PDB file of all heavy atoms in Angstrom:
ATOM      1  N   ARG A  71      82.688  -6.583  64.246  1.00 86.00           N
ATOM      2  CA  ARG A  71      82.645  -5.139  64.501  1.00 86.00           C
ATOM      3  C   ARG A  71      83.865  -4.716  65.314  1.00 86.00           C
ATOM      4  O   ARG A  71      84.312  -5.409  66.233  1.00 86.00           O
ATOM      5  CB  ARG A  71      81.358  -4.777  65.236  1.00 86.00           C
ATOM      6  CG  ARG A  71      81.250  -3.293  65.581  1.00 86.00           C
ATOM      7  CD  ARG A  71      79.864  -2.952  66.114  1.00 86.00           C
ATOM      8  NE  ARG A  71      79.818  -1.594  66.609  1.00 86.00           N
ATOM      9  CZ  ARG A  71      79.741  -0.520  65.839  1.00 86.00           C
ATOM     10  NH1 ARG A  71      79.694  -0.668  64.525  1.00 86.00           N
ATOM     11  NH2 ARG A  71      79.706   0.684  66.347  1.00 86.00           N
ATOM     12  N   ALA A  75      85.455   1.320  67.366  1.00 84.00           N
ATOM     13  CA  ALA A  75      84.500   2.180  66.667  1.00 84.00           C
ATOM     14  C   ALA A  75      83.526   2.818  67.638  1.00 84.00           C
ATOM     15  O   ALA A  75      83.108   2.188  68.631  1.00 84.00           O
ATOM     16  CB  ALA A  75      83.736   1.372  65.623  1.00 84.00           C
ATOM     17  N   PRO A  76      83.127   4.089  67.396  1.00 85.00           N
ATOM     18  CA  PRO A  76      82.102   4.725  68.231  1.00 85.00           C
ATOM     19  C   PRO A  76      80.754   4.031  68.058  1.00 85.00           C
ATOM     20  O   PRO A  76      80.515   3.348  67.069  1.00 85.00           O
ATOM     21  CB  PRO A  76      82.065   6.167  67.707  1.00 85.00           C
ATOM     22  CG  PRO A  76      82.644   6.099  66.330  1.00 85.00           C
ATOM     23  CD  PRO A  76      83.637   4.991  66.342  1.00 85.00           C
ATOM     24  N   ALA A  77      79.847   4.236  69.026  1.00 84.00           N
ATOM     25  CA  ALA A  77      78.573   3.511  69.049  1.00 84.00           C
ATOM     26  C   ALA A  77      77.704   3.833  67.846  1.00 84.00           C
ATOM     27  O   ALA A  77      76.875   3.020  67.441  1.00 84.00           O
ATOM     28  CB  ALA A  77      77.817   3.822  70.341  1.00 84.00           C
ATOM     29  N   GLU A  78      77.878   5.034  67.268  1.00 84.00           N
ATOM     30  CA  GLU A  78      77.037   5.408  66.142  1.00 84.00           C
ATOM     31  C   GLU A  78      77.621   5.013  64.789  1.00 84.00           C
ATOM     32  O   GLU A  78      76.956   5.093  63.755  1.00 84.00           O
ATOM     33  CB  GLU A  78      76.769   6.920  66.146  1.00 84.00           C
ATOM     34  CG  GLU A  78      77.989   7.795  65.901  1.00 84.00           C
ATOM     35  CD  GLU A  78      78.777   8.048  67.176  1.00 84.00           C
ATOM     36  OE1 GLU A  78      78.407   7.447  68.221  1.00 84.00           O
ATOM     37  OE2 GLU A  78      79.735   8.828  67.130  1.00 84.00           O
ATOM     38  N   GLN A  79      78.911   4.568  64.765  1.00 88.00           N
ATOM     39  CA  GLN A  79      79.576   4.212  63.523  1.00 88.00           C
ATOM     40  C   GLN A  79      79.095   2.824  63.050  1.00 88.00           C
ATOM     41  O   GLN A  79      79.160   1.849  63.793  1.00 88.00           O
ATOM     42  CB  GLN A  79      81.090   4.196  63.705  1.00 88.00           C
ATOM     43  CG  GLN A  79      81.860   3.723  62.478  1.00 88.00           C
ATOM     44  CD  GLN A  79      81.785   4.680  61.315  1.00 88.00           C
ATOM     45  OE1 GLN A  79      81.972   5.873  61.490  1.00 88.00           O
ATOM     46  NE2 GLN A  79      81.495   4.161  60.147  1.00 88.00           N
ATOM     47  N   LYS A  80      78.638   2.716  61.808  1.00 90.00           N
ATOM     48  CA  LYS A  80      78.123   1.449  61.271  1.00 90.00           C
ATOM     49  C   LYS A  80      79.262   0.617  60.701  1.00 90.00           C
ATOM     50  O   LYS A  80      80.130   1.117  60.009  1.00 90.00           O
ATOM     51  CB  LYS A  80      77.097   1.721  60.165  1.00 90.00           C
ATOM     52  CG  LYS A  80      76.452   0.471  59.600  1.00 90.00           C
ATOM     53  CD  LYS A  80      75.433   0.819  58.529  1.00 90.00           C
ATOM     54  CE  LYS A  80      74.773  -0.432  57.974  1.00 90.00           C
ATOM     55  NZ  LYS A  80      73.773  -0.115  56.914  1.00 90.00           N
ATOM     56  N   THR A  81      79.254  -0.673  61.026  1.00 93.00           N
ATOM     57  CA  THR A  81      80.243  -1.605  60.480  1.00 93.00           C
ATOM     58  C   THR A  81      79.775  -2.081  59.114  1.00 93.00           C
ATOM     59  O   THR A  81      78.673  -2.620  58.968  1.00 93.00           O
ATOM     60  CB  THR A  81      80.417  -2.806  61.421  1.00 93.00           C
ATOM     61  OG1 THR A  81      80.920  -2.351  62.669  1.00 93.00           O
ATOM     62  CG2 THR A  81      81.385  -3.822  60.811  1.00 93.00           C
ATOM     63  N   GLN A 102      74.259  -5.842  63.945  1.00 88.00           N
ATOM     64  CA  GLN A 102      75.033  -5.085  64.930  1.00 88.00           C
ATOM     65  C   GLN A 102      74.140  -4.207  65.779  1.00 88.00           C
ATOM     66  O   GLN A 102      72.987  -3.926  65.434  1.00 88.00           O
ATOM     67  CB  GLN A 102      76.078  -4.225  64.209  1.00 88.00           C
ATOM     68  CG  GLN A 102      75.481  -3.338  63.111  1.00 88.00           C
ATOM     69  CD  GLN A 102      76.535  -2.739  62.213  1.00 88.00           C
ATOM     70  OE1 GLN A 102      77.372  -1.971  62.675  1.00 88.00           O
ATOM     71  NE2 GLN A 102      76.492  -3.097  60.926  1.00 88.00           N
ATOM     72  N   GLU A 103      74.686  -3.794  66.915  1.00 88.00           N
ATOM     73  CA  GLU A 103      74.021  -2.878  67.837  1.00 88.00           C
ATOM     74  C   GLU A 103      74.614  -1.493  67.639  1.00 88.00           C
ATOM     75  O   GLU A 103      75.815  -1.292  67.770  1.00 88.00           O
ATOM     76  CB  GLU A 103      74.210  -3.331  69.284  1.00 88.00           C
ATOM     77  CG  GLU A 103      73.509  -4.621  69.644  1.00 88.00           C
ATOM     78  CD  GLU A 103      72.014  -4.405  69.903  1.00 88.00           C
ATOM     79  OE1 GLU A 103      71.617  -3.254  70.107  1.00 88.00           O
ATOM     80  OE2 GLU A 103      71.268  -5.405  69.898  1.00 88.00           O
ATOM     81  N   LEU A 104      73.766  -0.507  67.314  1.00 88.00           N
ATOM     82  CA  LEU A 104      74.201   0.874  67.113  1.00 88.00           C
ATOM     83  C   LEU A 104      73.432   1.801  68.045  1.00 88.00           C
ATOM     84  O   LEU A 104      72.314   1.479  68.482  1.00 88.00           O
ATOM     85  CB  LEU A 104      73.978   1.302  65.661  1.00 88.00           C
ATOM     86  CG  LEU A 104      74.801   0.576  64.583  1.00 88.00           C
ATOM     87  CD1 LEU A 104      74.439   1.104  63.209  1.00 88.00           C
ATOM     88  CD2 LEU A 104      76.288   0.729  64.846  1.00 88.00           C
ATOM     89  N   LYS A 105      74.006   2.930  68.302  1.00 87.00           N
ATOM     90  CA  LYS A 105      73.356   3.928  69.145  1.00 87.00           C
ATOM     91  C   LYS A 105      72.116   4.464  68.435  1.00 87.00           C
ATOM     92  O   LYS A 105      72.129   4.673  67.233  1.00 87.00           O
ATOM     93  CB  LYS A 105      74.320   5.074  69.440  1.00 87.00           C
ATOM     94  CG  LYS A 105      73.741   6.142  70.355  1.00 87.00           C
ATOM     95  CD  LYS A 105      74.749   7.253  70.606  1.00 87.00           C
ATOM     96  CE  LYS A 105      74.147   8.328  71.506  1.00 87.00           C
ATOM     97  NZ  LYS A 105      75.106   9.436  71.727  1.00 87.00           N
ATOM     98  N   LYS A 106      71.047   4.654  69.216  1.00 84.00           N
ATOM     99  CA  LYS A 106      69.828   5.199  68.638  1.00 84.00           C
ATOM    100  C   LYS A 106      70.079   6.605  68.115  1.00 84.00           C
ATOM    101  O   LYS A 106      70.844   7.385  68.710  1.00 84.00           O
ATOM    102  CB  LYS A 106      68.711   5.233  69.673  1.00 84.00           C
ATOM    103  CG  LYS A 106      68.200   3.854  70.070  1.00 84.00           C
ATOM    104  CD  LYS A 106      67.032   3.976  71.052  1.00 84.00           C
ATOM    105  CE  LYS A 106      66.470   2.600  71.406  1.00 84.00           C
ATOM    106  NZ  LYS A 106      65.346   2.699  72.373  1.00 84.00           N
ATOM    107  N   GLN A 107      69.436   6.942  66.993  1.00 78.00           N
ATOM    108  CA  GLN A 107      69.600   8.276  66.417  1.00 78.00           C
ATOM    109  C   GLN A 107      68.941   9.335  67.283  1.00 78.00           C
ATOM    110  O   GLN A 107      69.356  10.486  67.295  1.00 78.00           O
ATOM    111  CB  GLN A 107      69.015   8.297  65.002  1.00 78.00           C
ATOM    112  CG  GLN A 107      69.766   7.387  64.044  1.00 78.00           C
ATOM    113  CD  GLN A 107      69.149   7.392  62.661  1.00 78.00           C
ATOM    114  OE1 GLN A 107      68.058   7.924  62.465  1.00 78.00           O
ATOM    115  NE2 GLN A 107      69.836   6.782  61.693  1.00 78.00           N
ATOM    116  N   ARG A 113      70.064   0.272  69.288  1.00 88.00           N
ATOM    117  CA  ARG A 113      69.091  -0.393  68.441  1.00 88.00           C
ATOM    118  C   ARG A 113      69.792  -1.488  67.634  1.00 88.00           C
ATOM    119  O   ARG A 113      70.970  -1.360  67.297  1.00 88.00           O
ATOM    120  CB  ARG A 113      68.435   0.602  67.478  1.00 88.00           C
ATOM    121  CG  ARG A 113      69.426   1.333  66.603  1.00 88.00           C
ATOM    122  CD  ARG A 113      68.801   2.456  65.820  1.00 88.00           C
ATOM    123  NE  ARG A 113      69.794   3.216  65.071  1.00 88.00           N
ATOM    124  CZ  ARG A 113      70.148   2.978  63.820  1.00 88.00           C
ATOM    125  NH1 ARG A 113      69.576   1.976  63.176  1.00 88.00           N
ATOM    126  NH2 ARG A 113      71.049   3.724  63.218  1.00 88.00           N
TER     127      ARG A 113
END
Side-chain angles (χ1 to χ4, degrees):
R71 178 171 172 77
E78 66 276 5
Q79 175 68 47
K80 183 179 181 180
T81 297
Q102 53 193 297
E103 292 281 343
L104 295 179
K105 182 180 179 182
K106 291 183 177 179
Q107 295 178 350
R113 57 189 175 92

